[in-house]
Every structure is written in C-alpha cells, then in structure tokens.
Amino acid sequence: MRKLLYILFHFFLRLTLLAVGMIVSVVTYNTLNFTSLQLKVPAVEQPPISDDAVQRLSDAIRFPTVSFPDRIDSSAFRQFKSYVKRSYPLVDSLLQLTTVNDFSLLYKWPGQTQSLQPILLMAHIDVVPVDEKQAAQWTQPPFSGAVTDGYIWGRGALDDKVNIMAVLEAFELLLAQGYQPQRSIYLACGHDEEIGGTNGARAIARRLEQQGVRLEYVLDEGSVIITDALKGLNQPAALIGTSEKGYVTLRLDVHLEEGGHSSMPPQQSAISILTKAVTQLTDHPFPARMNGPIRPLLEQLGPEMEQPFKSIFANLWLFKGAVKQQLAASPSTNAVLRTTTAPTVIEGGFKENVLPTDASAKINFRILPGETIESTISYVRTIIADTRVEVRTENTGFKADPSPVSSTDAFGFQVVQKTCKEIFPQVVAVPALVIAGTDSRHYQPVCDNIYRFLPVHLSKADLKRIHGFDERIGVEAYKDMIGFYRQLLLNSTK
C-alpha cells in the first residue's frame, strides 16, 4: 500500500508539474505574441495658434447658455449665435448655415466630390446650471471666461462649448488657406443636449434623414485623453468611444393599506420594505462582463503595459477573474464592466411619529451594451423578489437602450486614431465605452459609425470638473484641440 501511494504521489506530482509547465509555456507564448496594435505615424507639426483663439473661447463662455428642463434663456443663445457670426467671418460667408428650432445650428461645408459620403462633427451650445451654493467655491466666476494661471475658466470650457469653438477655429484656419474639401463636412451644434437633445440633435438628424444624407462617420464629445487610465499603463490613453451605455431610471413604489402610529410599528413598514429592496439591488450588482466593447480596449491597451500587467492582459483566459477584480475596485473602471445601479432619490413619510403607507425610490441605471431596458427591469424584479414593490420606468424621464458598437475597422475610427497619434504622439489611442450619454445617439438613423472623443488631455481629478465646479481647460490644451480638428479635417477630406 505504501508503495502504491508513493507511485500515485509521484504520478500526480509529475502531472501537476507538466500542467504548470504547459501553462507557463502558453502564458509566455501569448505574451511574446501580444504586440502593439498602435499605428506608426510621424507626429505632424501644427501651425501656431493665435492667442486670439483663446480670447474667443473666453468670450463665448460668458454667454450663459443654460438649458433647464422647462426653459432656456433665449437671449443668451441668440447672443452666442451673433457672436459666432461676427467672430468667424469666413465661416459665416462661405459655409451654409441652417438654424433648427430657433437655436440649434447646422453648418455645411460642401465638398467637391459628391460621391463621397460627408462627415459630421458634433458639439452642443448649452451648458448645465451652476449650483448657487457652489458658485462661491469657484476659483473664477463660472461665466467669467477668465484666462489666468494658464487656464480658461467657466461653464462650457470642457462641456461642450469648447468643442464648437475649436472646430470653428479649425474651419476658419483652413478657409483662410483656400482649402477645399473633397467630401462635405457638417458641424451640428444642438442647443438642448443637457436635457436630452430632443429639439436640437434629434431634429437636425431628422432633417438630414429627410434630405437623404448618409454620413461616413460622426464624431461627438465623449471620452478624453487620460493619465493613469489603468494600473501598469505609463502612457496617457486616448479613449475613442465606439459606443455608449444606455440609460433608464426605474421607480420603486411601495403602497400599504395601513400606516399607523410609530409607537406600535409592525415588523415591516413601507419604508423598511423599500429600504430592503434598494439594499438588495446595491448588494447584488449586475454581472461584470468582459465581452463587447471592453474586449478591444483591453486587447489594445494590454501590449502597451509594463510587466506583469502585459502578461496578465495577454492571458485573459487565465487571469480574467483577477482583471475583473482590479477593474471593479475603481468606480470609473467598474462602470465599463457592468450595468451600474445608483439610488438617487428616496421619498417616504411626512411626520416623525406617523408610519407612512407609501414610500418610493428612484434608481438610475447606465446599461451595458448587450443588455437592454427590458432586461434591466427583469433583473431588478428578480433581485428584489417582492411583489409589494412595484417596478416601473419614469413616465417623463429620459431613457435609451445602449448604442450599437461602431467598427474599429471603419474609416472613421482609423482617421480619428491616426489624428490622435499625429497630434498627441505620446498617447495610446484605443477604442472605449462611453459611460455617459451624448447627443450622438440621435444620428443612428443616418450613420453606422459614430465615435465619441473630446481631444483634450485630463487627469482623473479633472473629470470631476465636468458638471462640477471650477470647470476649466488649459490654454495649450485648447490650442492642441484646434490643431487636432484641423488635422482631422485634412485627413478625412483629402
């Protein structure tokens, strides 16, 4: 028996060593063949950008083009339009301008070859309001457009008036040189993106559809160039959004026939039932998925990483669990792994000694491509598993399924990626998932390949400035944006 045990022990030891050896061999082979997918293009020297361009952005920020759910300040939007007309005389005289629903702007620069599908660049005029309580915390007043300490400060410096002005600057530079594009170029500027884009981007897209326009690609705001995107990546990552998450807010309602006095509470009240439901959702997040748009992101970032991260990303078949755990540890990377659950509003009760019969909560979900609003509702009901909790969508709230995933092999992605490498040679330019929503979803009927990328270099701390306080952009970063759009137009329309 002892001899048999000895033989079996050595047999399984050899088998284990053989398996380990095979795994090491496969890991080594995959790592050695995990080579860079980055384009090899030389940097392009850009013409100098005048400080007058900086001043024009500064002036544009001073118009408080705020959109509210029920109104806009029409005077500010009209003043902004007049300012643009005065500031870009070549654009005003040589390009075709259509005003849509009073405040949205659609520019067209006709191309010389009508057989080529046009491209469309997007931005939005409106900005979010400034919380009066936060206004005093701003280093510079939120609508001052102050240029100081190497930055341009104010609402719209990042989201998204900066995009309009940078594209118009690029237009004006090329028009001054007598440039004539081969394909037509559109610039679409919606006026209500921050409240859903119904009267702006959607109306423009419908107009193009009615005219029979089919676009080669669309480029909207979205992801940015970010430092320290992932642990182990030493280069900044230019994240070119190929898709965006869906959006829905679900309302949870609990209605009981009886409330009562707080001195005689039942085992479960409307509030406790609701609280348990919300806790169930936050304790049981949606499954993390590494298929869909995150897979090409990891495949293109991985070869640029230092060891041991390069080997890990080259062998996701072995290390998938560890990578998921690493990504899930940070809110920003966890959001690209799964449909996220965010309780945002909870209501119930009106007096401290009265048990309410009704309680409600609103939960916001950002839906991963591959899932839908309907599958989200089904998952929520399954996790709550309580018929006393009614689950429904908000009747008046915005909702949208995730966008389709645009191709990384298409002309649009390749030209955006190439331009990134030419203007920002130090970056790794990769496809990515945009976790927020943009106006670009409205253009799906007229374009198959929609990309979302704001060509500005930000730190993770800077991301909080978008919709937050102290929104700003570096002066040199803004000049690089203008250079990016100028080069993108040249690359797209030769």
Side-chain angles (χ1 to χ4, degrees):
M1 177 64 72
R2 185 176 296 177
K3 184 176 180 181
L4 177 62
L5 290 174
Y6 177 82
I7 292 172
L8 288 173
F9 170 77
H10 279 274
F11 171 76
F12 284 112
L13 177 61
R14 288 171 183 162
L15 192 63
T16 301
L17 292 174
L18 178 62
V20 170
M22 290 179 64
I23 291 173
V24 170
S25 297
V26 172
V27 167
T28 302
Y29 177 83
N30 287 346
T31 302
L32 292 174
N33 287 277
F34 198 41
T35 55
S36 178
L37 297 175
Q38 292 296 292
L39 294 175
K40 307 298 183 184
V41 294
V44 172
E45 186 175 350
Q46 290 294 302
I49 305 297
S50 168
D51 286 339
D52 292 342
V54 174
Q55 186 58 51
R56 283 188 285 270
L57 174 58
S58 169
D59 292 341
I61 288 171
R62 294 173 189 168
F63 300 106
T65 51
V66 179
S67 58
F68 298 93
D70 58 344
R71 69 189 191 283
I72 64 169
D73 182 352
S74 59
S75 175
F77 284 84
R78 290 192 176 96
Q79 290 174 23
F80 173 79
K81 180 182 176 182
S82 296
Y83 177 76
V84 167
K85 181 180 177 69
R86 297 192 308 271
S87 300
Y88 301 100
L90 296 178
V91 169
D92 182 58
S93 60
L94 298 176
L95 271 58
Q96 301 169 10
L97 173 62
T98 303
T99 301
V100 179
N101 285 337
D102 296 327
F103 307 111
S104 289
L105 308 176
L106 177 64
Y107 292 92
K108 181 181 180 182
W109 189 349
Q112 295 179 304
T113 306
Q114 296 304 308
S115 61
L116 293 175
Q117 289 185 332
I119 66 171
L120 185 140
L121 306 181
M122 292 179 61
H124 59 90
I125 303 168
D126 62 321
V127 298
V128 294
V130 175
D131 188 334
E132 292 182 4
K133 295 178 181 178
Q134 285 189 348
Q137 300 179 45
W138 284 63
T139 303
Q140 301 292 334
F143 291 103
S144 65
V147 182
T148 183
D149 299 328
Y151 294 94
I152 310 161
W153 301 74
R155 270 287 182 258
L158 288 174
D159 185 18
D160 177 45
K161 203 173 284 181
V162 64
N163 232 4
I164 299 175
M165 304 303 286
V167 174
L168 289 173
E169 293 289 344
F171 278 2
E172 196 79 0
L173 285 172
L174 291 173
L175 287 167
Q177 297 170 1
Y179 179 72
Q180 291 293 325
Q182 290 299 308
R183 72 173 78 236
S184 295
I185 305 165
Y186 287 97
L187 169 61
C189 308
H191 71 276
D192 60 347
E193 190 270 352
E194 298 293 358
I195 54 173
T198 300
N199 294 313
R202 188 168 73 173
I204 295 172
R206 283 182 174 175
R207 180 181 291 262
L208 294 175
E209 186 177 18
Q210 291 166 359
Q211 294 172 352
V213 174
R214 192 75 195 167
L215 300 167
E216 178 66 37
Y217 76 84
V218 168
L219 181 62
D220 194 9
E221 64 173 336
S223 299
V224 297
I225 302 170
I226 191 162
T227 305
D228 299 327
L230 282 178
K231 189 175 181 180
L233 181 68
N234 296 323
Q235 299 167 260
L239 304 174
I240 304 169
T242 55
S243 60
E244 64 181 58
K245 298 181 85 172
Y247 182 107
V248 69
T249 296
L250 299 184
R251 183 183 177 99
L252 312 184
D253 287 298
V254 178
H255 304 288
L256 300 182
E257 292 184 2
E258 295 182 356
H261 198 285
S262 65
S263 63
M264 298 180 292
Q267 288 187 338
Q268 290 187 312
S269 65
I271 289 178
S272 66
I273 294 169
L274 179 69
T275 302
K276 180 181 177 182
V278 174
T279 302
Q280 283 286 94
L281 290 176
T282 55
D283 286 350
H284 297 83
F286 282 73
R289 304 185 189 279
M290 293 183 64
N291 51 1
I294 193 172
R295 177 67 67 163
L297 168 68
L298 300 179
E299 289 173 348
Q300 294 200 30
L301 277 183
E304 316 303 324
M305 303 178 85
E306 63 182 12
Q307 291 290 12
F309 301 98
K310 180 178 178 179
S311 293
I312 290 172
F313 279 81
N315 293 277
L316 290 176
W317 63 275
L318 180 62
F319 299 112
K320 181 186 291 187
V323 172
K324 280 185 179 180
Q325 187 174 10
Q326 177 192 343
L327 296 177
S330 168
S332 60
T333 49
N334 178 62
V336 304
L337 277 181
R338 56 168 48 92
T339 294
T340 53
T341 303
T344 53
V345 178
I346 191 161
E347 298 173 336
F350 60 93
K351 197 171 187 294
E352 71 272 12
N353 62 348
V354 177
L355 296 170
T357 57
D358 300 317
S360 66
K362 294 181 183 180
I363 318 292
N364 183 247
F365 298 89
R366 302 301 176 102
I367 307 168
L368 197 69
E371 300 171 9
T372 64
I373 292 173
E374 289 305 313
S375 68
T376 300
I377 294 172
S378 177
Y379 182 85
V380 167
R381 287 176 175 157
T382 299
I383 293 300
I384 293 175
D386 190 335
T387 57
R388 294 171 297 178
V389 182
E390 180 187 1
V391 180
R392 60 186 175 89
T393 59
E394 279 282 83
N395 293 330
T396 58
F398 168 75
K399 54 183 178 288
D401 282 324
S403 75
V405 180
S406 297
S407 172
T408 57
D409 294 325
F411 172 76
F413 181 85
Q414 292 176 351
V415 77
V416 173
Q417 187 182 46
K418 176 185 177 184
T419 307
C420 279
K421 298 295 288 185
E422 289 175 332
I423 304 300
F424 310 104
Q426 76 280 13
V427 307
V428 179
V430 295
L433 169 66
V434 175
I435 61 175
T438 72
D439 261 350
S440 66
R441 64 186 176 277
H442 296 300
Y443 289 85
Q444 291 171 14
V446 294
C447 189
D448 292 328
N449 291 298
I450 298 173
Y451 305 99
R452 304 151 186 89
F453 174 65
L454 186 69
V456 60
H457 196 148
L458 300 177
S459 67
K460 285 187 177 180
D462 285 328
L463 296 176
K464 298 177 182 178
R465 300 179 187 275
I466 301 172
H467 286 202
F469 64 89
D470 271 356
E471 187 175 343
R472 69 184 188 183
I473 187 171
V475 168
E476 295 306 314
Y478 178 56
K479 291 182 177 181
D480 285 341
M481 280 188 69
I482 298 170
F484 173 89
Y485 283 119
R486 177 184 177 276
Q487 188 63 29
L488 180 69
L489 294 171
L490 292 174
N491 287 339
S492 299
T493 61
K494 288 178 181 178

